[in-house]
Amino acid sequence: MICTVAGHYCKVPSTARPLQLVVTYTRRHLHASPAGAANPVSVTRPGPPPKAPLPAASQYGEHVDRRRRQAELIKKAQDKRTEAAKPGSALKKRFWTDVHVQTEQDGAHIVQLDTRPVRNPMTKSPLRIPSSKPQLATAIALEWDLITSAQQALRAHLIPLTSIASRAYDLALQDAAAAAKSAPPPESTTPPQSSTTIRDDIIKTLLPYLDTDTLLCWAPPPPKDADPTLPSLRALQIHTAEPIISYLTSSIWPGVHLDPGLDSGSIIPAQQPAETRDIVRGWLAGLGAWELVGLERAVLAGKSLCVGARLLCEWGESFADVRGALSGGGGNTGPQQPKRFGIEEAATACSLEVAWQTGRWGEVEDTHDVEKEDLRRQFGSAVLVMSGTTL
């Protein structure tokens, strides 16, 4: 008989008495640390958050703590006085209390900050607004009355009307200087030849908009399976552009043919004919300083030279005779008088595609609504610069 004990073999006689074996098993651990019972975390119910920790009580007493707080306040006041004495700190203050418009003997308007005139940043001379534009002078005065520090006057976006008026005033001075310099003597027969930098730069900037004009970029025709009951974007664009183009080609640019920039579905705009560009260039060169600068603001805002020109023809001082001829001499004040082309009409014509898309898919908050109001704000500033009391 063979018995196995603890992995060893032993031979036991068959005649012997059976042995009673006691086997002791030892427990082997995988680690040397002593075993311990688990401590389960008690289940807690949700409740209010714990209270904020309270600061430890001061060991010096309430009187010492109060004196320490007073010392900190005194130190902050001293730091503020030291900062106010540094160079440039005067820009953080508003050094004027009253803003008003002063009319000179020649009729020009000057915005006064107490007794100091608002000056042209380029020439450092007082900014003179023409006598026919009192509403522009009042709007500039309102801009400066809303400024809370002199530092804000260094930011052009906070004083947009002052910036555009300064540009128009610079152009007017430059035109007058160029005209006086190029005027030939009485006995000379040589025609004056002069070129002004600001005027040439503006014309060079505005002419390319004629090829990529927002009013002349039309969407491709709708697909055949489109809903016929809903007006297509192309139909709305053509319906909006036709009256403006008809007005310009009949009253302002007679004989000019304006071709759509994007009409056949191409992404490359087609250029206008050379004759059209020459006529428009000559028309821009003949505009007054204030009207040309106002037109520049309108074109840059709406990305449309046609809409800017239509707005100028409706509000420009030098186009009063054109408006009078179209309205029958100005005596037509009845219900048949056509509606004026204003800020709302210009903004609608320039943002027609955006309005059509947001009408289908919705507006993005703080984006489309802000751009909508900003476009009207810029058109309003252009109208103020163009217009005058001769309307």
Side-chain angles (χ1 to χ4, degrees):
M1 180 178 177
I2 299 175
C3 179
T4 303
V5 179
H8 298 282
Y9 296 94
C10 60
K11 190 174 181 180
V12 181
S14 59
T15 58
R17 187 177 178 179
L19 298 177
Q20 294 182 355
L21 301 178
V22 178
V23 181
T24 303
Y25 296 95
T26 60
R27 181 181 301 175
R28 300 180 62 186
H29 299 279
L30 299 178
H31 52 82
S33 59
N39 255 343
V41 179
S42 60
V43 179
T44 58
R45 292 178 298 177
K51 296 182 179 180
L54 298 176
S58 175
Q59 57 180 346
Y60 302 106
E62 181 64 26
H63 176 71
V64 177
D65 291 341
R66 185 171 63 254
R67 295 295 298 271
R68 183 175 296 175
R69 289 193 298 268
Q70 292 176 354
E72 292 177 356
L73 293 177
I74 293 175
K75 187 177 182 303
K76 290 181 179 179
Q78 292 176 350
D79 293 341
K80 289 184 178 180
R81 285 195 296 268
T82 304
E83 184 180 358
K86 295 180 181 179
S89 59
L91 294 176
K92 299 181 180 180
K93 302 178 181 178
R94 172 170 164 164
F95 57 84
W96 65 92
T97 56
D98 179 63
V99 182
H100 63 278
V101 179
Q102 176 180 334
T103 304
E104 300 293 312
Q105 293 182 356
D106 58 353
H109 305 287
I110 297 179
V111 179
Q112 296 281 344
L113 309 179
D114 293 337
T115 58
R116 304 178 183 181
V118 173
R119 297 183 179 273
N120 189 320
M122 298 296 295
T123 62
K124 306 302 180 183
S125 60
L127 179 60
R128 297 171 61 87
I129 309 300
S131 58
S132 61
K133 302 181 185 298
Q135 67 278 6
L136 177 60
T138 304
I140 293 176
L142 180 60
E143 273 187 351
W144 285 87
D145 196 26
L146 295 176
I147 290 179
T148 58
S149 66
Q151 190 174 12
Q152 293 183 354
L154 302 178
R155 303 174 182 177
H157 66 279
L158 295 179
I159 49 172
L161 288 175
T162 306
S163 302
I164 190 175
S166 299
R167 182 170 176 80
Y169 184 63
D170 290 338
L171 178 57
L173 293 178
Q174 199 173 70
D175 287 346
K181 184 178 179 180
S182 61
E187 64 276 3
S188 175
T189 59
T190 305
Q193 296 179 359
S194 63
S195 176
T196 55
T197 304
I198 299 179
R199 179 174 294 273
D200 291 341
D201 290 343
I202 294 177
I203 295 175
K204 186 179 178 180
T205 301
L206 297 185
L207 269 181
Y209 282 95
L210 196 61
D211 299 329
T212 59
D213 199 295
T214 302
L215 194 72
L216 301 177
C217 293
W218 300 341
K224 296 181 179 179
D225 57 348
D227 189 357
T229 60
L230 298 177
S232 64
L233 175 59
R234 179 184 176 86
L236 293 175
Q237 289 174 329
I238 296 177
H239 177 74
T240 304
E242 282 182 346
I244 300 176
I245 295 175
S246 175
Y247 183 94
L248 295 176
T249 54
S250 61
S251 304
I252 308 302
W253 306 327
V256 169
H257 182 70
L258 296 176
D259 298 326
L262 294 177
D263 189 17
S264 59
S266 174
I267 61 175
I268 301 177
Q271 291 188 352
Q272 299 293 337
E275 296 80 6
T276 299
R277 299 176 65 89
D278 293 339
I279 294 176
V280 175
R281 182 185 291 106
W283 178 77
L284 293 173
L287 293 176
W290 293 85
E291 293 178 341
L292 183 59
V293 173
L295 175 64
E296 180 189 26
R297 171 61 64 92
V299 173
L300 295 180
K303 307 298 184 294
S304 173
L305 180 58
C306 294
V307 173
R310 180 66 181 89
L311 196 66
L312 174 61
C313 296
E314 190 68 32
W315 299 97
E317 289 186 272
S318 61
F319 294 91
D321 54 345
V322 177
R323 294 190 296 269
L326 294 177
S327 61
N332 186 6
T333 58
Q336 300 299 327
Q337 185 179 8
K339 184 180 179 181
R340 301 195 67 175
F341 189 85
I343 298 173
E344 190 64 31
E345 288 76 17
T348 302
C350 291
S351 57
L352 189 61
E353 182 176 358
V354 176
W356 189 80
Q357 296 287 357
T358 54
R360 295 188 61 186
W361 311 109
E363 290 186 351
V364 178
E365 189 177 0
D366 293 336
T367 301
H368 291 113
D369 50 351
V370 175
E371 293 176 352
K372 177 181 177 181
E373 298 301 326
D374 183 69
L375 180 61
R376 285 156 175 79
R377 177 187 64 85
Q378 296 193 55
F379 277 138
S381 64
V383 169
L384 279 176
V385 176
M386 298 172 182
S387 61
T389 55
T390 58
L391 295 178

